[in-house]
Amino acid sequence: TAVRQLSAHQGFQAILGEGQGRYLDEPPYPSGADVKTITKGGDEVPELSLAVVTGKITIVDFTASWCRPCHQIDAHMAKVLAGRGDLAYRRIQIGDWDTPVAQRYLKNVSQLPFVIVYDAAGVKVKELAGLDLPSLDAAIAQAARK
């Protein structure tokens, strides 16, 4: 009962029993949206600049399957990407804080999601730690004005 109540409070449904647990699925992204997952297991990403798409505003999202705010960013980006051909969304699944990609890029980051927004010329516009959808939207708008 306690597990069900705690999970319901967080917006989840607990189904008890072996093999019943799983993380939330990614939202369906619009057809034709430029979405790619760079790594899923926290593997090393030698050069972050290779994820940036020249000619498009690029959102690089450091995320984890266990991170609920990360799933909220994904759902938000699925809506933002609808009808926008000028955006590229790149996801980097860190696995956990001890993986090579997390150790390399997230040493001074206190929370997930961690998002970096680049303008169409590949210039970094903003870094955001934590769930802040209005700031993310503002950074995308700022990148579009450049």
Side-chain angles (χ1 to χ4, degrees), residues 91-128:
R91 303 173 72 249
I92 298 175
Q93 292 260 355
I94 69 161
D96 63 48
W97 290 100
D98 295 323
T99 59
V101 74
Q103 290 296 301
R104 180 172 183 142
Y105 296 105
L106 303 178
K107 285 182 184 176
N108 298 314
V109 174
S110 62
Q111 59 183 320
L112 291 177
F114 180 64
V115 178
I116 306 171
V117 178
Y118 296 87
D119 67 15
V123 176
K124 186 186 302 184
V125 172
K126 186 88 173 174
E127 293 182 352
L128 302 161

Side-chain angles (χ1 to χ4, degrees), residues 5-6 11 33 36 43 77 84 95 98 121 124 132-134 146:
Q5 289 173 341
L6 286 171
K36 291 187 180 149
D43 297 330
M77 286 307 302
R84 294 221 34 192
D98 295 323
K124 186 186 302 184
D132 187 347
L133 299 177
K146 288 191 170 203

Side-chain angles (χ1 to χ4, degrees), residues 13-64:
Q13 177 186 10
I15 301 171
L16 303 179
E18 185 176 338
Q20 299 297 318
R22 65 180 177 84
Y23 293 117
L24 296 172
D25 294 328
E26 291 179 20
Y29 294 104
S31 178
D34 189 354
V35 178
K36 291 187 180 149
T37 300
I38 306 298
T39 182
K40 289 189 176 188
D43 297 330
E44 179 65 40
V45 175
E47 188 58 46
L48 197 55
S49 64
L50 297 176
V52 177
V53 179
T54 305
K56 291 187 176 188
I57 298 165
T58 304
I59 298 94
V60 176
D61 179 15
F62 290 86
T63 184

